[in-house]
Amino acid sequence: MIRAIRACKTAAEERAVVRKECAAIRASINEDDQDYRHRNLAKLMFIQILGYPTHFGQMECLKLIASAGFPEKRIGYLGLMLLLDERQEVLIDLNHSNQYIVGLALCALGNICSAEMARDLAPEVERLLQFRDPNIRKKAALCSIRIIKKVPDLAENFINCAASLLKEKHHGVLITGVQLCADLCKVSSEALEYFRKKCTEGLVRTLRDIVNSPYSPEYDISGITDPYLHIRLLKLLRILGQGDADASDRMTDILAQVATKTESNKNAGNAILYECVETIMSIEDDGGLRVLAINILGKFLSNRDNNIRYVALNMLMRATTLDAQAVQRHRATILDCVKDSDASIRKRALELLYLLVNENNVKPLIKELIEYLEVSDQEFKGDLTAKICSLVE
């Protein structure tokens, strides 16, 4: 079927093929064909992805979920996530003896769970957070995120389970546990306080272990151990440190370590450094760490990758409100970015430079900008002239 659809030269041809296939699937459904039910649903999913209506076959999902075999259940749950939405009443099997089927059910619940289903199934998901198999614990944690987003009142039920996931050695479970804690902090002030007091030390210890861990092929990306987990941990520490001097104080050493030890010649390293800078800028700090963070951004401005330079300029604009003096040290590099060939970098650098101008540096900067005005692109001249006039004023 896929080959036939891809071979179509026009939209009319494609519609004809889909019409013929849908007619065959309808006939098969009417005959209650058990053998081809899962193949018919797989076809329907492809047709749905192409944008054609498939409502006539949606009940087949539920029949497949109710069947005994794993291949049928797998297609059934996949169809459930794609063809149905949270308004449907669905029986989700979280008590099955086969852990792989429980995994399918958790996946489906995490994708289409409604507020009513969340209330009904929250105790089951909570129980599965302590299941022996790490794969199920991981899926249960992701499912819990959906539940607390749908029903924030249930957040307090998951606080203790989420905290226990932060002690996990399995990286897959740990990363989902960290994400669950971050989402709990967003919906519950009680959870935020609990994790600040009870878990900050443990998170700092976990991050230190990962930063100092020896080479591990299972989690390595470009010579860096599990950058995804690095980033999730930094994001959670950012939430815990924001507005709390005590929690911020406990994480300053490890943030300095991440900022100085992470390699900046790899993309994975740059992603970690960026998150580290974001965390340093967000927590309560005496200023020493901020200078280190702004220096990292200054180094980003010399990178050949335009994306890295652009995010550095964005972050430096925020940094001017926190420590304008430290940003001033990178003025020459920012001025070079104003002359960049990339239009978005030019504009962003000009906005940043505008924020840095003061009585002491206005004359040399204006002189540089006027010299550049003579050779700049036609479409950039308007922006540049407006900024120069505004600064002179």
Side-chain angles (χ1 to χ4, degrees):
M1 182 193 78
I2 293 171
R3 204 178 290 127
I5 289 173
R6 286 191 172 162
C8 295
K9 299 281 188 292
T10 64
E13 270 183 57
E14 187 184 280
R15 282 196 296 274
V17 172
V18 170
R19 243 193 329 270
K20 186 179 161 199
E21 284 291 344
C22 286
I25 292 169
R26 273 195 183 91
S28 185
I29 289 171
N30 291 338
E31 289 163 15
D32 203 24
D33 190 333
Q34 305 282 336
D35 298 336
Y36 279 90
R37 183 171 277 148
H38 65 292
R39 290 177 65 174
N40 285 337
L41 189 60
K43 286 181 178 182
L44 276 177
M45 282 189 272
F46 188 76
I47 291 167
Q48 165 88 4
I49 290 166
L50 292 176
Y52 294 96
T54 56
H55 52 272
F56 63 88
Q58 289 173 354
M59 284 306 291
E60 297 297 284
C61 295
L62 308 183
K63 289 176 186 171
L64 282 170
I65 289 169
S67 61
F70 180 76
E72 288 80 12
K73 275 187 186 289
R74 186 168 65 170
I75 292 287
Y77 276 116
L78 190 57
L80 171 68
M81 288 184 265
L82 196 65
L83 304 177
L84 300 178
D85 60 29
E86 61 181 53
R87 292 189 299 267
Q88 317 294 328
E89 284 296 317
V90 183
L91 183 68
I92 298 242
D93 197 351
L94 293 176
N95 286 317
H96 203 280
S97 55
N98 182 333
Q99 69 186 52
Y100 297 106
I101 289 169
V102 173
L104 293 175
L106 282 169
C107 248
L109 190 62
N111 277 287
I112 66 143
C113 159
S114 63
E116 289 73 25
M117 286 167 84
R119 283 196 175 90
D120 291 345
L121 295 172
E124 287 302 317
V125 175
E126 209 181 315
R127 176 181 64 79
L128 291 169
L129 281 167
Q130 291 148 32
F131 196 80
R132 64 185 184 282
D133 181 65
N135 226 12
I136 297 294
R137 292 202 298 279
K138 180 173 74 175
K139 287 183 165 128
L142 291 171
C143 195
S144 306
I145 293 170
R146 169 87 179 196
I147 288 171
I148 59 166
K149 280 182 179 172
K150 285 284 166 193
V151 190
D153 303 350
L154 293 171
E156 59 192 46
N157 300 358
F158 288 94
I159 293 173
N160 289 326
C161 297
S164 67
L165 292 178
L166 297 179
K167 300 184 181 105
E168 285 277 352
K169 291 285 177 272
H170 186 283
H171 281 217
V173 183
L174 180 55
I175 200 168
T176 52
V178 169
Q179 187 57 46
L180 174 57
C181 291
D183 281 297
L184 280 166
C185 290
K186 287 172 193 169
V187 298
S188 160
S189 53
E190 185 190 329
L192 179 59
E193 274 312 303
Y194 181 88
F195 294 134
R196 262 183 188 151
K197 288 189 168 61
K198 306 273 176 149
C199 303
T200 306
E201 291 285 354
L203 288 165
V204 167
R205 204 162 37 246
T206 304
L207 185 54
R208 188 176 289 117
D209 290 346
I210 292 167
V211 171
N212 298 316
S213 66
Y215 171 73
S216 166
E218 192 182 350
Y219 305 117
D220 180 85
I221 296 176
S222 307
I224 290 167
T225 302
D226 206 339
Y228 296 104
L229 184 53
H230 258 95
I231 285 166
R232 290 277 181 226
L233 286 164
L234 286 166
K235 281 183 172 173
L236 181 53
L237 287 172
R238 178 154 82 235
I239 293 167
L240 300 180
Q242 208 162 7
D244 189 292
D246 188 38
S248 298
D249 195 45
R250 278 180 271 171
M251 60 185 78
T252 50
D253 286 352
I254 186 59
L255 291 175
Q257 205 176 336
V258 172
T260 49
K261 285 188 76 168
T262 308
E263 289 181 51
S264 60
N265 57 347
K266 307 263 175 51
N267 228 8
N270 284 329
I272 292 168
L273 284 171
Y274 176 79
E275 286 301 334
C276 185
V277 168
E278 180 96 73
T279 301
I280 290 168
M281 295 293 185
S282 302
I283 66 168
E284 310 305 305
D285 176 53
D286 56 3
L289 263 184
R290 281 204 193 118
V291 174
L292 179 61
I294 289 165
N295 288 343
I296 289 170
L297 294 175
K299 204 191 282 184
F300 276 3
L301 290 181
S302 310
N303 200 298
R304 287 200 302 273
D305 188 319
N306 283 356
N307 294 327
I308 290 171
R309 282 152 74 206
Y310 188 80
V311 295
L313 288 166
N314 267 345
M315 188 77 88
L316 282 166
M317 285 182 81
R318 271 179 53 198
T320 51
T321 58
L322 300 168
D323 192 340
Q325 201 51 49
V327 181
Q328 286 281 5
R329 293 189 198 116
H330 302 282
R331 208 171 57 227
T333 321
I334 295 163
L335 188 60
D336 287 341
C337 290
V338 174
K339 302 169 185 177
D340 197 83
S341 57
D342 186 295
S344 55
I345 286 177
R346 279 201 307 259
K347 284 188 174 177
R348 190 55 87 212
L350 186 59
E351 283 169 34
L352 175 56
L353 202 61
Y354 184 74
L355 295 175
L356 293 178
V357 173
N358 56 36
E359 284 180 13
N360 304 323
N361 62 26
V362 66
K363 285 185 181 176
L365 275 176
I366 292 291
K367 185 171 180 290
E368 285 262 18
L369 290 175
I370 289 173
E371 280 173 14
Y372 176 58
L373 181 62
E374 293 173 11
V375 294
S376 65
D377 293 351
Q378 198 59 43
E379 70 266 17
F380 192 49
K381 276 185 163 63
D383 277 353
L384 195 49
T385 309
K387 284 281 192 276
I388 289 170
C389 293
S390 179
L391 290 171
V392 170
E393 230 173 85

